[in-house]
Amino acid sequence: MSEHRRKPPQGRGRRAAQPSPSSGNGRRYTQPPPGASSSYGPRADARRAAPRGGSGGRRRAAGPAAGAGAAGAGAGMGISGIGGGGRGRGGGMPPGRGGGGRGRYQPPPRKRFIDYPRWNRSGMSRWVPSWKLVLGTFAGFIGAIIGLSGIALAMVQVPDPNKATEQQKNVYYWADGSQMVVAGGGEQNRQIVPLAQIPESMQDAVIAAENETFYDDAGVDPVGIVRAVGRMALGGDTQSGSTITQQYVKNTYLDQSQTITRKLKELFISIKVGAQEEKPDILAGYLNTGYYGRGAYGIQAAAQAYYRVDSKKLNPSQAAFLSATLNGPNLYDPAGGVGSAATPEKNRQRAEARWKWTLDREVQTGRMSKAERAKYQKFPTPKPPKKSTELKGQKGYMVDVANNYITANSETIDDRRLKQGGLRIYTTFDKKKMAQMTRAVEQVRKANIDPEQRDVDKYVQFGGASVKPKDGAIVAMYGGEDATTHFTNNADYTGVQVGSTFKPFVLAAAMRDGKRDPEGPEVQGADARTPVSPKSVYNGDNKVKLREYDGDIWRDKEGKEWRQRNDGNESRGQIDLREAMQYSVNTPYIQLGMDVGVDKVADAALKAGLNEDSFARRTPTFSLGTSAPSAIRMANAYATFASSGMASEPYSVKKVEEDGTNVYEHQPSVKSAFEAKVADNVTDVLKTVVQDGTGSAAKALGRPAAGKTGTTDDNKSAWFSGYTPQLSTAVGMWRVNDKAKVQKFLKMYGVGNQDSIHGASFPAEIWTKYMTGALQGQPVQNFPEPAPIGGRVFGPGASPSQTEPPSESPSQDPSQNPSDQPSQSPSLPSPSETCNNPFGCDDQGQDGGNDQGQDGGNDQGQDNGGNTGGDDGGNDGGNDNGGGLFGGPEGRTRE
């Protein structure tokens, strides 16, 4: 044999491999040559080892047994027999079939009922279903839906509608578990009346406004149901899409929850009711079970609640209004509802617009003639609501606060559910402390306020609240003389500004965030800041020019300067922040607010526990108390300082039970609002106010206490807010005729036979009397010693060379004329010059409103029907968005 004979390929370092006889997947491969000394690797190695030339895609065997051309196979033949040219898809063919080619053999599939993925396809097309599969799947899905719907329709039961007429009372409990009051369940007993006693005008109004095709449709609106379910599934707002039949079903058989399950139940029951009951019976059922507000279920109760007549005596105009209340009584009762969107003014505007639209709609649908419509041009104003006699005194206010809290925080209990009754509501109100607060207010009122002797003593109002630090539980409150005669809860949102009791939030922001230094190095684009200590010095003179934090003179939109006025036009010279708080000097704190940033002040107040809805516009006087938080919110915010910076949300309900099961339970939420050293230093400064400053009347408490007085210009409100480590309380005083058609805050000069009313007078006296009784028997506790904080900074015009270092201890010689009010000069709106009243404004803005609030004063007060001028934001922040302590429903309209 020639030495030049061509040698078989060696695989270049790889093992020349042959596939195994069987791979386990139905494919068969050629056996390796007998006696071959090479080891055979995977199929891929064998394929790579085979040369790509050769006749007809001939494969060459590797190993010693390989002959000339191939081992055990004829020239030009495949390894197993019949040769095969071409590059077929079937690699690894069975013996006898040949198979030169580079593909893989795929055996025929076993028959499958569902050919997916598709056996005879490759790549992406293997995963694309055939039209037969798609059509079959769709048909199966539709069949399943129809079948399941049929089963559900057969299984669903229509409950007894008489159960919907049952009303029970709610039972409210004190914090100790003893029964407080049995109330709720509606002020009117529901009385079912036949359709013959419901005037046709009422029937026409409801049909025209809510379901024009009522007598012709099948009782359900599938498109509306699908739309509502889709929006709920996607987490969007709930929508109506309900016919009168569906509303009747929801009112009678279902709860008011907004869930997909409830919607589906409504659909099936509505179909069944529509098939089983006559249309007149459904309409009568809807009108007899609908909730019209004021605790009235059914048209007969509603006619009595709003117009003091039987339903059959309602005229078309009254009927048009009552049909509007079915769409959401909280938003359409002219007497007002719960939440900032449900004020009497806003509700009346909505009610009049809906009333007019309903009458016009009746004409459009042919249910009223134009001549008949022309008779009703004046809105049929309902009579004032009646209060249940069991809610006299403070009980009505407590029940209102508890109800508002529940509807604002429970996902399943709304106003309608509350009115149905049957709930056990466990509140946070402490029976002993409630009695102490009522007694303290009434003692001061009786000793000093005499409307029969002095006209100026008329319309004096008091409000107060007491909150537990580190918890937020509202343990006591004073809402007014009697909940059945004075309807505004004075402990909750009233629109009354708090004046200088807001200053501690300015100090907290200064110690937390620091004074901006325009000449310092910039850090990530922000001006450098220097933390402020209570030893920092500011100019306490009267009418000091207000400056920007960079030293430029602050000017309003018209380019005018602003000179802040102190109470009594008193000048204090260079003064540190502790002493400025002690005597409530305005000029240092309005400038401090500018140096820190009003936005930082607002944030500190929010962190402490106030709500932004009650804030005034953030102009410079914001730091002096132009905002109007409620007594509850003020007590809660001061409680944050009492608890070394730990803030909690105020709450009035611990849990709600129904049939022995908890349907709501308060979840505690306490979080850090400030570092302990910030809160403790604020407390240390406020202790000075009580010991030797404007709040010295509170020294009579006889235990460590901290607090702040506040009075607004024109003597229209006065406050004292203070606390011990165990309890935080805020007390306010103001004048307003709550029976007047247009209500406004009045001046208090001469009230109680005093020249003027300050926070240091009657409010501090009430606070001290209440706290003495409320804390009786509790151990005396001291506040934590404050850690050092910040540096001694100097405000505009103040420097170390101009003032002696302030004493480490507070001054022992308090001013003979201490100021506790943010008095103003005529360029920015002052707290009492603001129209921050939910009822309207008096002439207070004429002194400074027209030319003072260039940052917003000229166009303020309009939202509340007040005169021009007014606050630089009290109206916008307080009245439009205040909504009370817990907000309550903004108005849950008919689903």
Side-chain angles (χ1 to χ4, degrees):
M1 183 179 292
S2 171
E3 63 182 3
H4 299 292
R5 179 172 294 176
R6 187 174 180 181
K7 294 181 181 181
Q10 299 302 311
R12 298 180 184 178
R14 298 177 184 169
R15 291 182 301 177
Q18 292 292 340
S20 61
S22 174
S23 63
N25 60 0
R27 298 179 182 137
R28 286 190 253 166
Y29 300 92
T30 306
Q31 294 286 346
S37 59
S38 302
S39 29
Y40 294 86
R43 183 177 67 245
D45 288 355
R47 185 167 59 249
R48 284 193 293 268
R52 299 190 180 226
S55 170
R58 177 186 309 160
R59 298 183 184 176
R60 297 182 180 179
M77 304 291 287
I79 290 177
S80 298
I82 300 174
R87 298 164 63 92
R89 299 173 64 92
M93 295 183 67
R97 296 295 298 170
R102 299 175 67 185
R104 293 182 183 177
Y105 170 71
Q106 204 168 16
R110 290 172 294 182
K111 288 188 176 181
R112 294 183 295 173
F113 181 73
I114 298 176
D115 182 22
Y116 189 82
R118 303 171 73 179
W119 78 272
N120 59 347
R121 295 287 190 272
S122 62
M124 289 299 298
S125 61
R126 178 175 171 82
W127 301 98
V128 177
S130 66
W131 67 269
K132 292 180 181 180
L133 182 59
V134 172
L135 184 61
T137 302
F138 179 73
F141 177 75
I142 295 299
I145 291 295
I146 294 174
L148 290 174
S149 298
I151 294 172
L153 190 60
M155 292 181 64
V156 72
Q157 298 295 321
V158 178
D160 181 5
N162 291 326
K163 290 186 177 181
T165 66
E166 296 177 359
Q167 282 184 264
Q168 305 177 59
K169 296 291 185 180
N170 294 321
V171 184
Y172 296 80
Y173 296 89
W174 293 103
D176 63 3
S178 61
Q179 185 173 303
M180 181 173 76
V181 65
V182 178
E187 296 161 7
Q188 308 289 335
N189 291 324
R190 186 194 324 231
Q191 181 180 352
I192 304 298
V193 294
L195 195 62
Q197 293 186 28
I198 302 176
E200 288 189 11
S201 61
M202 184 67 200
Q203 302 175 43
D204 291 339
V206 170
I207 292 173
E210 307 222 13
N211 190 183
E212 178 186 352
T213 61
F214 170 70
Y215 279 105
D216 301 316
D217 61 38
V220 295
D221 178 7
V223 175
I225 290 270
V226 171
R227 182 176 62 246
V229 169
R231 289 182 65 85
M232 283 188 284
L234 295 173
D237 295 333
T238 57
Q239 286 189 339
S240 176
S242 296
T243 63
I244 284 177
T245 303
Q246 289 171 251
Q247 286 299 311
Y248 167 58
V249 166
K250 185 182 70 172
N251 292 344
T252 309
Y253 308 123
L254 301 172
D255 59 36
Q256 305 298 306
S257 61
Q258 304 293 313
T259 63
I260 294 176
T261 301
R262 209 275 294 153
K263 267 290 181 187
L264 292 175
K265 286 182 180 178
E266 176 189 311
L267 173 63
F268 290 122
I269 296 177
S270 297
I271 293 173
K272 209 160 191 176
V273 168
Q276 294 178 353
E277 297 187 25
E278 298 294 331
K279 289 287 187 177
D281 295 334
I282 294 174
L283 181 60
Y286 175 56
L287 293 173
N288 277 310
T289 58
Y291 180 58
Y292 297 76
R294 299 192 180 186
Y297 286 86
I299 185 60
Q300 172 65 17
Q304 288 289 340
Y306 286 94
Y307 294 111
R308 314 287 195 266
V309 299
D310 289 334
S311 60
K312 62 184 178 181
K313 294 183 179 181
L314 291 170
N315 64 44
S317 181
Q318 294 169 332
F321 162 71
L322 288 178
S323 73
T325 63
L326 283 168
N327 197 52
N330 189 64
L331 295 177
Y332 288 95
D333 185 350
V338 177
S340 61
T343 63
E345 292 77 12
K346 292 178 180 179
N347 276 17
R348 185 179 180 91
Q349 291 176 2
R350 270 190 295 266
E352 288 193 22
R354 180 79 178 186
W355 162 80
K356 182 178 182 298
W357 176 85
T358 300
L359 292 173
D360 293 341
R361 182 70 179 155
E362 290 184 66
V363 174
Q364 294 173 9
T365 58
R367 295 183 174 275
M368 178 182 286
S369 67
K370 291 184 178 179
E372 180 75 5
R373 168 67 182 89
K375 296 179 183 178
Y376 308 112
Q377 300 298 322
K378 184 179 179 181
F379 179 69
T381 302
K383 295 183 181 298
K386 289 182 177 180
K387 286 284 185 179
S388 299
T389 55
E390 67 263 27
L391 297 179
K392 285 184 177 180
Q394 299 303 305
K395 289 181 179 179
Y397 302 123
M398 290 187 289
V399 166
D400 283 345
V401 168
N403 288 347
N404 290 352
Y405 178 80
I406 293 170
T407 56
N409 291 276
S410 171
E411 296 181 356
T412 59
I413 306 175
D414 59 5
D415 186 60
R416 176 190 173 95
R417 178 64 193 87
L418 276 171
K419 293 299 191 297
Q420 285 179 337
L423 302 176
R424 294 177 176 271
I425 300 169
Y426 294 84
T427 75
T428 60
F429 299 116
D430 184 291
K431 188 175 183 179
K432 174 188 171 184
K433 291 180 175 62
M434 279 293 304
Q436 293 286 352
M437 181 165 284
T438 301
R439 186 179 302 113
V441 173
E442 297 306 325
Q443 284 179 351
V444 171
R445 181 192 295 276
K446 184 177 180 180
N448 298 282
I449 310 301
D450 190 350
E452 295 182 0
Q453 294 294 324
R454 294 179 294 271
D455 285 343
V456 74
D457 282 4
K458 293 179 179 178
Y459 316 128
V460 171
Q461 301 289 338
F462 294 95
S466 194
V467 172
K468 245 190 215 180
K470 296 183 182 179
D471 181 34
I474 305 169
V475 296
M477 53 180 278
Y478 185 85
E481 290 187 74
D482 191 329
T484 62
T485 58
H486 174 72
F487 302 143
T488 301
N489 186 348
N490 293 344
D492 208 340
Y493 177 77
T494 58
V496 178
Q497 296 171 343
V498 295
S500 290
T501 54
F502 202 82
K503 288 176 182 174
F505 307 120
V506 184
L507 181 60
M511 291 191 291
R512 181 194 66 178
D513 301 303
K515 177 183 181 294
R516 291 178 286 184
D517 182 3
E519 298 181 357
E522 291 192 347
V523 180
Q524 296 182 353
D527 289 325
R529 289 177 175 269
T530 303
V532 174
S533 83
K535 299 177 182 179
S536 298
V537 178
Y538 273 76
N539 190 342
D541 283 342
N542 188 50
K543 294 186 178 181
V544 175
K545 287 184 180 180
L546 183 65
R547 295 180 180 273
E548 300 280 6
Y549 79 95
D550 59 4
D552 292 341
I553 294 176
W554 183 89
R555 299 180 186 274
D556 59 30
K557 291 181 179 179
E558 296 182 358
K560 295 181 179 180
E561 297 178 357
W562 169 246
R563 292 175 178 266
Q564 178 60 46
R565 184 169 63 88
N566 289 327
D567 184 41
N569 293 318
E570 187 178 36
S571 290
R572 287 273 181 172
Q574 307 304 300
I575 189 173
D576 68 19
L577 294 178
R578 178 185 295 274
E579 190 175 356
M581 184 77 77
Q582 179 181 351
Y583 301 123
S584 203
V585 186
N586 293 328
T587 47
Y589 275 93
I590 192 173
Q591 185 61 56
L592 180 63
M594 295 296 290
D595 292 348
V596 175
V598 175
D599 59 329
K600 299 295 186 183
V601 174
D603 181 73
L606 289 173
K607 289 290 195 302
L610 301 188
N611 51 355
E612 191 164 7
D613 292 343
S614 64
F615 283 176
R617 288 182 186 171
R618 297 177 186 181
T619 54
T621 52
F622 180 85
S623 298
L624 299 182
T626 55
S627 297
S630 67
I632 294 174
R633 284 286 176 182
M634 284 299 291
N636 186 64
Y638 272 49
T640 300
F641 299 132
S643 57
S644 294
M646 301 303 295
S648 54
E649 274 294 299
Y651 69 102
S652 58
V653 174
K654 294 186 288 187
K655 66 178 180 178
V656 180
E657 290 182 353
E658 182 178 16
D659 297 328
T661 302
N662 280 0
V663 291
Y664 172 78
E665 188 166 5
H666 170 72
Q667 299 299 320
S669 176
V670 181
K671 57 186 179 182
S672 176
F674 305 104
E675 290 184 77
K677 62 181 180 180
V678 172
D680 292 344
N681 271 280
V682 171
T683 295
D684 194 58
V685 171
L686 295 184
K687 283 170 59 180
T688 306
V689 176
V690 172
Q691 288 299 314
D692 300 290
T694 59
S696 57
K699 287 174 64 176
L701 179 62
R703 61 172 70 206
K708 183 70 186 75
T709 55
T711 308
T712 56
D713 272 1
D714 277 341
N715 215 214
K716 291 181 179 176
S717 65
W719 289 83
F720 185 81
S721 295
Y723 53 91
T724 67
Q726 300 106 312
L727 199 58
S728 177
T729 302
V731 177
M733 177 180 176
W734 58 91
R735 287 182 70 212
V736 63
N737 180 5
D738 62 313
K739 302 297 189 301
K741 186 175 181 180
V742 177
Q743 299 182 10
K744 56 188 178 182
F745 293 120
L746 306 171
K747 301 174 182 179
M748 293 192 293
Y749 295 117
V751 167
N753 203 30
Q754 297 195 11
D755 292 339
S756 61
I757 302 298
H758 289 75
S761 57
F762 299 144
E765 183 180 353
I766 292 171
W767 183 92
T768 306
K769 286 180 178 292
Y770 161 71
M771 292 287 281
T772 300
L775 294 172
Q776 187 175 10
Q778 294 191 30
V780 174
Q781 291 186 14
N782 292 310
F783 293 109
E785 286 295 322
I789 191 171
R792 189 180 180 217
V793 303
F794 294 87
S799 67
S801 61
Q802 295 174 314
T803 180
E804 292 296 323
S807 171
E808 293 295 326
S809 59
S811 169
Q812 301 300 315
D813 184 21
S815 168
Q816 297 300 313
N817 184 25
S819 165
D820 62 355
Q821 63 182 9
S823 304
Q824 309 294 329
S825 59
S827 185
L828 277 181
S830 66
S832 67
E833 287 168 350
T834 65
C835 176
N836 198 16
N837 187 340
F839 313 115
C841 310
D842 59 4
D843 58 354
Q844 61 185 335
Q846 302 305 321
D847 293 7
N850 291 327
D851 66 348
Q852 62 177 281
Q854 283 76 16
D855 220 1
N858 290 330
D859 63 354
Q860 292 155 9
Q862 303 307 319
D863 288 347
N864 298 310
N867 298 324
T868 57
D871 187 14
D872 59 329
N875 295 331
D876 288 345
N879 295 322
D880 285 352
N881 302 311
L885 168 64
F886 306 117
E890 287 297 296
R892 301 186 181 185
T893 59
R894 181 176 69 84
E895 179 205 350

